[in-house]
Amino acid sequence: MTPTFLGISTAAPGNFFKNIDRIGEYLTINVPSVFDLTELQSLAVGTLGRELVDHFAIHQLPPLTSGPRRKQLHDAVHVITGYGIDPIGELEVQAFMLGSKFFPMHILLGIALFDPTDRQRQTSQLNYRTIFHRVRRAYQRGQRSGFDIDTWQPEQQWHLPLTQVQQLFHL
């Protein structure tokens, strides 16, 4: 059986992201690409922009350069928070985002991550209590951060050291 989220197949991330783009198009919230990889690649090591490019390279991820702004900035949130790209890290990102600004979709995405998170738990040394504490800390960190994905303008911060951007948001 193919896993779904809100009736959208999540078996292949590419399909999931295409569906997000279709929904964004319907809601007229799609925006042009938020970043230019070539430009970010030319920035100094340690800057937010260069760390984002390195994040894509290290994890062999394609950049999300279409659709809604929130989608395109997802990996930049991983970079500024330091949360992993595994299911638990993804759950931490959603908890952080929910703590920083209530948006029901973060709850739904978090619920969708329960099954992959449980599979990761079964193959690791983590127990439910540890996962719960990590997610709770991410939520509380989001509450304290002052971060708002809807008003964040990373385009004005790509050239800044990542540590400085993290300090701006009390991370």
Side-chain angles (χ1 to χ4, degrees), residues 145-165:
S145 71
F147 180 79
D148 182 343
I149 189 83
D150 294 322
T151 59
W152 185 35
Q153 297 295 313
E155 302 90 339
Q156 298 171 6
Q157 299 174 337
W158 294 134
H159 68 284
L160 297 175
L162 174 58
T163 54
Q164 185 177 346
V165 176

Side-chain angles (χ1 to χ4, degrees), residues 85-147:
I85 64 164
D86 60 318
I88 295 171
E90 292 292 347
L91 192 56
E92 287 172 310
V93 165
Q94 295 309 316
F96 172 82
M97 296 294 290
L98 184 63
S100 67
K101 181 176 186 179
F102 181 80
F103 188 63
M105 185 57 77
H106 298 298
I107 295 171
L108 296 174
L109 289 170
I111 291 169
L113 287 164
F114 283 157
D115 186 49
T117 299
D118 189 49
R119 284 194 304 266
Q120 181 182 355
R121 180 200 59 79
Q122 292 173 12
T123 61
S124 69
Q125 299 297 322
L126 298 174
N127 58 41
Y128 287 119
R129 172 172 273 166
T130 301
I131 294 169
F132 173 77
H133 287 302
R134 283 178 58 176
V135 171
R136 185 178 67 187
R137 279 194 308 268
Y139 176 79
Q140 292 168 337
R141 186 179 184 204
Q143 286 183 306
R144 291 188 309 268
S145 71
F147 180 79

Side-chain angles (χ1 to χ4, degrees), residues 37 41 50-63:
L37 286 178
Q41 179 78 37
R50 180 60 179 274
E51 291 292 324
L52 179 61
V53 170
D54 292 348
H55 168 83
F56 291 133
I58 291 166
H59 299 293
Q60 300 178 357
L61 295 171

